[in-house]
């Protein structure tokens, strides 16, 4: 069952989402060759708690850390460890925060130093596909419209779209209805209604769409061990249109990226 949010609840969710955004911005400054994912995990936990929230992933379904850290061929749900990042790696960082009884949850895939051109293109296309999908999250459309848009955009570039892992509704629980696949058919699935809040999160592979889960019960990698990218935003349906609750603005500032990609999805001033 889809749980519709009031305007007041959406604003509380915006605060939780922006705490995650701010945390990812701090991590953007720290991602570099030689740093370990466990060190980044500690930075994130401190940042979240300093903003009066608690880490949303820590202990959720018994997950042991604050961040899901997934380098290179890992798709999602990687566990932080003491292995240093290396020049040329990519690292997907998925982060959650809980404040005022509502979750924020979004993700970004970072380049570690200089990366191969074909991997940079994977990151660029996956990030672009996120906004392609968000554009379809509007009154009267359905889940399949978002999934189709992301799938069509990424497969046109020859990439594999993961089927087993999907986006989701968001609210007082980390995972609510509806599921938000990154593939689908137009006009299929649940219809979007005013006040819905979802996490849209393309998980796109350089090679095959097929994945495998490791014995730790968490780590998921591509079957062909080629790189995978993951970008995620929290989005509310406000006045019939998608309204971003999260932002990459703090990351962009840290990395010196200039973009207007979020402008069409933001009716409310960005504050934290």
């Amino acid at each position: 069952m889809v749980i519709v949010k009031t305007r007041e609840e959406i604003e509380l969710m915006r605060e939780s989402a922006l705490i995650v955004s701010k945390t990812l911005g701090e991590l953007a400054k720290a991602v570099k060759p030689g740093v370990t994912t466990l060190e980044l995990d500690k930075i994130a936990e401190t940042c979240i708690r300093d903003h009066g929230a608690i880490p949303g992933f820590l202990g959720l379904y018994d997950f042991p850390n604050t961040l899901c850290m997934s380098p290179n061929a890992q798709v999602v749900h990687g566990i932080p460890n003491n292995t240093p990042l290396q020049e040329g790696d990519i690292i997907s960082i998925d982060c959650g925060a809980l404040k005022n009884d509502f979750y924020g949850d979004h993700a970004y895939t970072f380049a570690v130093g200089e990366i191969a051109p074909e991997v940079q293109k994977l990151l660029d296309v996956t990030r672009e596909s996120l906004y392609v999908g968000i554009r379809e999250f509007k009154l009267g459309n359905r889940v399949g419209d978002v999934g189709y848009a992301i799938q069509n955009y990424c497969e046109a570039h020859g990439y594999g779209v993961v089927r087993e892992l999907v986006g989701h509704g968001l609210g007082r629980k980390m995972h609510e209805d509806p599921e938000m696949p990154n593939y689908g058919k137009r006009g299929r699935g649940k219809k979007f209604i005013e006040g819905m809040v979802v996490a849209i999160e393309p998980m796109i592979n350089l090679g095959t769409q097929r994945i495998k889960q490791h014995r730790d019960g968490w780590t998921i990698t591509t079957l062909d061990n080629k790189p995978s990218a993951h970008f995620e935003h929290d989005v509310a349906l406000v006045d019939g249109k998608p309204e971003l609750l999260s932002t990459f603005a703090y990351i962009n500032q840290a990395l010196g990226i200039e973009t207007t990609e979020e402008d069409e999805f933001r009716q409310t001033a960005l504050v934290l």
Side-chain angles (χ1 to χ4, degrees):
M1 182 181 70
V2 173
I3 302 173
V4 172
K5 289 18 177 232
T6 65
R7 293 294 180 92
E8 291 76 15
E9 288 173 330
I10 287 173
E11 290 312 307
L12 292 176
M13 293 193 68
R14 189 192 306 275
E15 183 177 357
S16 298
L18 288 178
I19 290 170
V20 177
S21 301
K22 187 76 171 180
T23 302
L24 289 172
E26 290 301 308
L27 293 169
K29 303 172 187 176
V31 170
K32 61 186 68 175
V35 71
T36 70
T37 50
L38 204 53
E39 289 170 334
L40 296 173
D41 191 74
K42 292 176 182 177
I43 292 171
E45 181 174 359
T46 298
C47 187
I48 291 168
R49 295 190 187 281
D50 283 350
H51 283 89
I54 61 174
F57 294 168
L58 184 61
L60 184 69
Y61 313 125
D62 295 325
F63 188 74
N65 291 88
T66 293
L67 300 174
C68 293
M69 306 284 282
S70 308
N72 301 321
Q74 292 187 24
V75 183
V76 288
H77 302 163
I79 298 173
N81 57 44
N82 284 312
T83 303
L85 295 176
Q86 298 182 21
E87 181 84 15
D89 284 345
I90 59 172
I91 179 75
S92 166
I93 302 182
D94 196 353
C95 181
L98 177 64
K99 188 173 184 181
N100 299 317
D101 296 323
F102 286 99
Y103 282 96
D105 167 32
H106 70 113
Y108 192 95
T109 302
F110 295 91
V112 183
E114 294 293 324
I115 62 175
E118 65 268 22
V119 179
Q120 184 62 58
K121 183 181 176 183
L122 172 69
L123 267 57
D124 293 343
V125 169
T126 305
R127 178 170 172 158
E128 290 160 7
S129 78
L130 172 59
Y131 297 102
V132 169
I134 290 171
R135 200 168 287 121
E136 298 299 317
F137 181 61
K138 56 188 177 183
L139 197 64
N141 270 11
R142 294 178 180 270
V143 166
D145 294 306
V146 172
Y148 173 84
I150 293 171
Q151 178 185 7
N152 188 60
Y153 191 82
C154 293
E155 288 184 347
H157 288 84
Y159 298 143
V161 179
V162 174
R163 301 298 200 269
E164 296 87 345
L165 305 161
V166 299
H168 50 90
L170 187 70
R172 294 182 186 272
K173 293 183 178 179
M174 176 66 75
H175 298 107
E176 297 184 353
D177 285 337
E179 289 190 344
M180 296 290 296
N182 297 304
Y183 63 95
K185 295 183 178 180
R186 289 198 179 279
R188 301 286 182 87
K190 289 188 177 181
K191 184 178 286 188
F192 299 135
I193 55 177
E194 185 75 10
M196 288 180 69
V197 179
V198 298
I200 298 175
E201 48 178 321
M203 289 159 273
I204 310 300
N205 301 341
L206 185 63
T208 180
Q209 69 188 40
R210 298 176 65 192
I211 59 174
K212 60 182 177 182
Q213 186 168 27
H214 290 235
R215 289 184 178 180
D216 62 15
W218 289 103
T219 305
I220 294 174
T221 59
T222 58
L223 194 61
D224 58 9
N225 288 318
K226 291 184 178 180
S228 182
H230 176 211
F231 290 84
E232 178 182 15
H233 268 315
D234 301 338
V235 195
L237 194 56
V238 178
D239 295 330
K241 298 181 292 185
E243 167 79 3
L244 276 182
L245 304 183
S246 54
T247 183
F248 292 152
Y250 301 109
I251 296 172
N252 293 337
Q253 183 178 27
L255 300 181
I257 297 172
E258 294 186 8
T259 176
T260 59
E261 63 193 358
E262 297 183 6
D263 290 0
E264 65 182 286
F265 308 115
R266 193 174 303 289
Q267 302 173 43
T268 302
L270 178 63
V271 292
L272 179 60

